[in-house]
Amino acid sequence: MYRNILVPMALTHGFGETALDVARRLLSGGGTITALHVHEAPSGSVRNYLDDDVVRAAHDEAKATLDARVADQPDVTPVLVTGNSGRAILDVAARMGADCIVIGSHRPGLRDYFLGSTAARVVRHAPCAVHVLRRPDDD
């Protein structure tokens, strides 16, 4: 059983509800669950063409969506950070002293073998245990 579980979540797809259910089953009494969304803000030359208000609105919308997804789950604390998904998940896990990360993964494609999926990066570099969820049709 774990006392401090981090659950990275995509806002429009993925394993969010399932991952939170699994986290609850793995959680020790008195433990905490943190739902994390990593907002990947536009960078490079794309950022130069976007108004600051548009970027801020996208961030605020992501925060509101995350808050709404866990609003009916008082045992889950929502956290939104900006950055690269893999690196940000690892940084947050280390900073909060997570002892488990519950993360979803898809069937790896050719691109993933060269670049690595976010879940694969988290598994390779996490400072704690990682529980990876797969869809039943990904066998």
Side-chain angles (χ1 to χ4, degrees), residues 12-50:
T12 58
H13 66 282
F15 295 87
E17 299 304 317
T18 302
L20 290 173
D21 289 342
V22 169
R24 280 188 194 92
R25 284 184 253 141
L26 295 172
L27 191 65
S28 295
T32 61
I33 298 173
T34 302
L36 171 70
H37 176 70
V38 180
H39 177 72
E40 294 195 37
S43 61
S45 61
V46 172
R47 177 63 179 96
N48 293 331
Y49 294 98
L50 297 174

Side-chain angles (χ1 to χ4, degrees), residues 21-89:
D21 289 342
V22 169
R24 280 188 194 92
R25 284 184 253 141
L26 295 172
L27 191 65
S28 295
T32 61
I33 298 173
T34 302
L36 171 70
H37 176 70
V38 180
H39 177 72
E40 294 195 37
S43 61
S45 61
V46 172
R47 177 63 179 96
N48 293 331
Y49 294 98
L50 297 174
D51 184 273
D52 288 340
D53 292 337
V54 171
V55 174
R56 191 172 4 292
H59 182 274
D60 293 347
E61 182 179 338
K63 178 66 172 146
T65 302
L66 176 62
D67 290 346
R69 284 199 63 190
V70 301
D72 62 341
Q73 303 179 51
D75 59 336
V76 177
T77 302
V79 172
L80 177 79
V81 297
T82 301
N84 170 275
S85 293
R87 277 179 278 183
I89 292 166

